[in-house]
Amino acid sequence: MKQYNVGIIGATGMVGQRFATILENHPWFNVKVLAASARSAGKTYKEAVGDRWAMPVPMPKTMENIIIMDAEADIEKIAGMVDFVFCAVNLTKEETKKLEEKYAKAECPVVSNNSANRHTPDVPMVIPEINADHIKIIDAQRKRLGTKRGFVAVKSNCSLQSYVPALYPLDEEFGVEDVLVCTYQAISGAGKTFDTWPEMIDNVIPYIGGEEEKSEKEPLKIWGKVEGNEIIPATKPHFTAQCLRVAVTDGHMAAVFVRFKNKPSKEQILEKWESFKGKAQELDLPSAPKQFLYYFNEDNLPQTKLQRNLEGGMAISCGRLREDTQYDYKFVCLSHNTLRGAAGGAVLLAELLCAEGYMD
Ligand code: NAP
């Protein structure tokens, strides 16, 4: 397989650190550029991160002495050094959108973790197992931007990456109508650890800014259709969400209630989950889990600590499927928020884009 030189924009942050660790031994991608704010630029990666390293494994030795570039001032230079960049920065929406478009216009594709471009109509927001076909909108985006290679592609918010994968395979045959979901989200989703956010020890905070809106709105774009120069969001299923921050390092759990047009049996749901495969599995992408959806029969599973790292943190764990008194069924599902939900999901999307020729 062809090799690609890549950059990590926001390399010093929580998601950036995840990118660094999962790209260390990637079979297709070689990290050539690490970039962050002007505060970090000019320092080595090790110096710039300092005591902020939050990964369970050490910083890759090969990256420790890479000099951090300035993500805003060095765009042209970076674009000349890499085939594409991953981006995860904590700027405002407007600043992020501007930054990502500048990279795209410098003919450097951007695979982004940021939310700024998620609802730009010609920017694909992709979970490769579900809506891989949305990447064809990139042709229209390139026309708008006036680029030959450059474009922006995004992954969705981390909270929905547990329940959307579980609901999507049920929709075609049974029609998913109404979904009520409560998410229990890890502190790494806020870029934090218990050291940097001690208030979270032994605590639950019933508010995550903007998260409930994202959890309700983003699935509709994923369910949407490419028409002409845009992705038209679906109008169904209807989602309502409550998102809570809980005292967990990594792993977002969701409690889901669902109503169908044609109510399936429990066995039919389990069969759909078991057999579901998407483009990521068909193309055998390096980061794709062999089995996307796992079901656990034990009443006390899945548990965040036990299942979050399943298949390298890229698989979704489901459990407790049972009938409900008001909806048709209820169940729980779990995904790793900084792997499947952030850096891992973006790496999988980049693999899809490479395999389909968009990075050449
Ligand atoms: P973070 O830990 O606060 O890291 C932010 C990164 O942005 C750092 O590398 C920082 O560099 C860089 N940065 C700040 N100002 C910059 C500037 N002016 N120019 C260039 N780079 C700048 O944040 P995070 O948790 O990694 O999140 C990053 C993005 O990913 C956010 O958009 C977030 O919403 C999204 N996201 C996060 C998660 C998650 O689970 N954490 C999941 C999905 C999506 P310095 O070190 O130099 O300040």
Side-chain angles (χ1 to χ4, degrees):
M1 183 69 192
K2 197 181 153 192
Q3 297 289 304
Y4 296 84
N5 290 332
V6 306
I8 305 172
I9 312 302
T12 49
M14 180 72 86
V15 178
Q17 293 175 23
R18 270 285 174 208
F19 275 124
T21 57
I22 59 183
L23 291 173
E24 184 183 10
N25 297 311
H26 194 279
W28 303 353
F29 303 153
N30 306 304
V31 176
K32 292 290 179 204
V33 167
L34 299 175
S37 76
R39 296 179 292 277
S40 302
K43 298 178 184 164
T44 64
Y45 190 32
K46 197 167 180 183
E47 287 164 354
V49 172
D51 59 10
R52 288 184 290 165
W53 187 256
M55 298 299 106
V57 292
M59 179 181 281
K61 279 265 174 270
T62 49
M63 297 182 204
E64 278 181 358
N65 294 316
I66 294 182
I67 303 294
I68 302 289
M69 296 177 76
D70 185 325
E72 293 180 296
D74 294 332
I75 293 177
E76 291 293 335
K77 210 165 149 193
I78 293 170
M81 295 169 70
V82 298
D83 294 304
F84 67 92
V85 293
F86 293 101
C87 187
V89 293
N90 60 353
L91 295 173
T92 64
K93 257 196 179 141
E94 291 67 34
E95 290 167 334
T96 306
K97 214 167 166 173
K98 242 192 222 159
L99 185 74
E100 292 181 345
E101 280 205 0
K102 277 189 190 165
Y103 276 91
K105 285 186 172 163
E107 298 294 2
C108 180
V110 180
V111 179
S112 174
N113 262 277
N114 306 306
S115 60
N117 268 307
R118 286 187 196 149
H119 294 290
T120 308
D122 60 10
V123 168
M125 175 164 66
V126 178
I127 298 177
E129 283 85 352
I130 295 180
N131 60 334
D133 64 304
H134 283 193
I135 61 177
K136 62 183 178 223
I137 197 70
I138 287 170
D139 297 338
Q141 190 195 139
R142 280 175 170 156
K143 262 189 215 138
R144 172 176 64 87
L145 296 172
T147 58
K148 282 202 173 70
R149 286 189 81 240
F151 64 86
V152 179
V154 302
K155 50 153 286 299
S156 67
N157 187 41
C158 46
S159 74
L160 60 88
Q161 310 236 5
S162 51
Y163 57 90
V164 165
L167 292 166
Y168 186 80
L170 309 177
D171 189 43
E172 193 179 1
E173 190 169 343
F174 310 119
V176 177
E177 294 278 305
D178 302 309
V179 180
L180 184 156
V181 58
C182 297
T183 61
Y184 303 83
Q185 303 193 194
I187 61 172
S188 58
K192 298 277 176 48
T193 62
F194 285 121
D195 286 336
T196 57
W197 201 4
E199 298 83 351
M200 271 311 300
I201 297 171
D202 191 24
N203 205 6
V204 173
I205 296 181
Y207 176 70
I208 305 176
E211 200 75 352
E212 293 172 353
E213 294 78 3
K214 289 177 192 166
S215 301
E216 293 169 357
K217 192 174 166 200
E218 290 185 18
L220 296 173
K221 183 166 180 183
I222 293 171
W223 248 275
K225 291 238 169 328
V226 175
E227 278 178 28
N229 293 337
E230 51 189 324
I231 296 166
I232 309 288
T235 51
K236 265 205 224 171
H238 308 120
F239 286 90
T240 179
Q242 279 206 76
C243 300
L244 314 184
R245 188 73 72 192
V246 297
V248 154
T249 54
D250 295 306
H252 290 352
M253 179 86 82
V256 184
F257 298 76
V258 56
R259 191 175 291 125
F260 294 96
K261 193 164 180 216
N262 309 305
K263 185 180 171 182
S265 67
K266 186 175 170 188
E267 289 66 35
Q268 284 175 308
I269 294 178
L270 293 178
E271 196 282 317
K272 290 278 182 209
W273 284 347
E274 162 101 44
S275 61
F276 184 65
K277 283 191 186 348
K279 195 83 179 164
Q281 286 71 31
E282 269 169 43
L283 293 170
D284 200 17
L285 299 175
S287 302
K290 298 279 172 258
Q291 176 71 26
F292 186 29
L293 298 163
Y294 283 78
Y295 186 77
F296 292 85
N297 283 305
E298 297 85 341
D299 279 339
N300 61 353
L301 296 181
Q303 288 179 24
T304 304
K305 254 168 100 167
L306 299 181
Q307 273 79 40
R308 64 186 162 202
N309 289 319
L310 199 60
E311 294 225 31
M314 293 298 285
I316 309 301
S317 300
C318 308
R320 302 220 59 218
L321 176 66
R322 60 219 191 275
E323 294 207 23
D324 183 51
T325 52
Q326 295 180 27
Y327 286 71
D328 289 331
Y329 286 97
K330 53 190 167 188
F331 59 91
V332 298
C333 38
L334 168 78
S335 74
H336 196 302
N337 59 299
T338 65
L339 289 167
R340 167 57 75 169
V347 171
L348 186 63
L349 170 55
E351 291 167 1
L352 171 73
L353 291 162
C354 290
E356 299 287 54
Y358 286 89
M359 297 299 196
D360 297 330

